Amino acid sequence: DIQMTQSPSSLSASVGDRVTITCRASQSISSYLNWYQQKPGKAPKLLIYAASSLQSGVPSRFSGSGSGTDFTLTISSLQPEDFATYYCQQSYSTPDFFGQGTKLEIK
Amino acid sequence: QVQLVQSGAEVKKPGASVKVSCKVSGYTLTELSMHWVRQAPGKGLEWMGGFDPEDGETIYAQKFQGRVTMTEDTSTDTAYMELSSLRSEDTAVYYCATKIAVAGSWYFDYWGQGTLVTVSS
């Protein structure tokens, strides 16, 4: 099974900040990496698929990069609605493991 | 546009079973690859299993093998997830989610609203 490790597990930032979250796979997954945003009491929402493709309707301040084992999600300028928990997920092979999540909080 | 509407919250005793439903609208169930993901209180997302269109079979996470059964009623476009031998650690919100492939890359695109299952004596 391919394990996914995110860092940091939590992060405090201010509106307007540039933020980067990383995700590492236990083995190469090519570009089969997705990012989701989850707000309290809500289902996850897809942000980025295939490591760097922006899902339709997602603001362009979100971007993803990486391949192989190391990936990043970047928010270029934090907005108030971006404070949430972010998860990576590998889709290279079953089981579809998620990272443990990164909680982004207001500083 | 796919919509997934799940059944309501459940409270079960340890050792019992629970069956959660997920009603599809906007598409037919046969056009979709339905999966189930759960989230314990304050914890992360855990994939439980789902339909693999490449194999034509339902696959389950090893952790749930023997305790979970995922079925589909195509006449009503409703998917079901049944978990048996419940224990307190199964207390979680259970989500149905559709998985699609774009240019060979799979991801979960549509999600139900979640169903809280509480296991308590």
Side-chain angles (χ1 to χ4, degrees), chain A residues 4 12 21 23 25 37 39 46 53 55 64 70 79 85 88 100 105:
Chain A
M4 308 301 295
S12 294
I21 298 168
C23 180
Q37 176 193 67
K39 295 183 178 180
L46 178 72
S53 296
Q55 173 69 338
D70 294 314
Q79 298 302 300
T85 301
C88 62
Q100 80 277 19
E105 299 174 306

Side-chain angles (χ1 to χ4, degrees), chain A residues 3-57:
Chain A
Q3 305 296 325
M4 308 301 295
T5 304
Q6 284 181 238
S7 61
S9 55
S10 65
L11 175 60
S12 294
S14 301
V15 172
D17 283 354
R18 180 183 179 89
V19 166
T20 298
I21 298 168
T22 65
C23 180
R24 174 165 288 176
S26 59
Q27 65 185 74
S28 177
I29 57 170
S30 184
S31 295
Y32 296 102
L33 190 283
N34 307 312
W35 290 98
Y36 300 84
Q37 176 193 67
Q38 187 181 32
K39 295 183 178 180
K42 299 294 185 182
K45 171 189 171 183
L46 178 72
L47 298 176
I48 302 281
Y49 65 94
S52 60
S53 296
L54 192 68
Q55 173 69 338
S56 175

Side-chain angles (χ1 to χ4, degrees), chain A residues 1 31-34 36 38 41-46 49-51 55 87 89 91 94-100, chain B residues 35 37 39 43-47 52 59-62 95 99 102-109 111-114:
Chain A
D1 294 353
S31 295
Y32 296 102
L33 190 283
N34 307 312
Y36 300 84
Q38 187 181 32
K42 299 294 185 182
K45 171 189 171 183
L46 178 72
Y49 65 94
Q55 173 69 338
Y87 294 93
Q89 177 241 335
S91 59
T94 301
D96 294 70
F97 278 149
F98 292 84
Q100 80 277 19
Chain B
H35 291 247
V37 176
Q39 186 171 38
K43 302 296 185 182
L45 301 168
E46 181 174 35
W47 176 79
D52 183 347
I59 50 177
Y60 302 121
Q62 188 171 9
Y95 293 102
K99 194 177 184 186
V102 173
S105 188
W106 290 87
Y107 55 83
F108 296 106
D109 56 347
W111 296 70
Q113 83 275 20

Side-chain angles (χ1 to χ4, degrees), chain B:
Chain B
Q1 182 86 353
V2 175
Q3 285 196 313
L4 307 177
V5 179
Q6 298 183 223
S7 49
E10 303 261 13
V11 179
K12 296 292 182 180
K13 293 193 181 301
S17 296
V18 68
K19 192 170 186 177
V20 179
S21 68
C22 175
K23 169 73 174 171
V24 176
S25 61
Y27 275 72
T28 63
L29 197 46
T30 55
E31 298 174 285
L32 303 171
S33 172
M34 188 65 75
H35 291 247
W36 293 85
V37 176
R38 78 175 187 180
Q39 186 171 38
K43 302 296 185 182
L45 301 168
E46 181 174 35
W47 176 79
M48 299 180 67
F51 182 74
D52 183 347
E54 295 180 347
D55 293 338
E57 295 183 353
T58 299
I59 50 177
Y60 302 121
Q62 188 171 9
K63 176 177 180 177
F64 302 101
Q65 286 277 0
R67 278 208 308 144
V68 70
T69 304
M70 296 172 187
T71 56
E72 297 181 351
D73 182 345
T74 55
S75 68
T76 61
D77 288 320
T78 302
Y80 298 92
M81 186 285 299
E82 184 170 21
L83 188 62
S84 62
S85 303
L86 290 169
R87 32 209 189 229
S88 58
E89 310 89 87
D90 293 318
T91 293
V93 174
Y94 290 77
Y95 293 102
C96 57
T98 59
K99 194 177 184 186
I100 73 163
V102 173
S105 188
W106 290 87
Y107 55 83
F108 296 106
D109 56 347
Y110 294 102
W111 296 70
Q113 83 275 20
T115 296
L116 175 62
V117 175
T118 302
V119 183
S120 174
S121 55

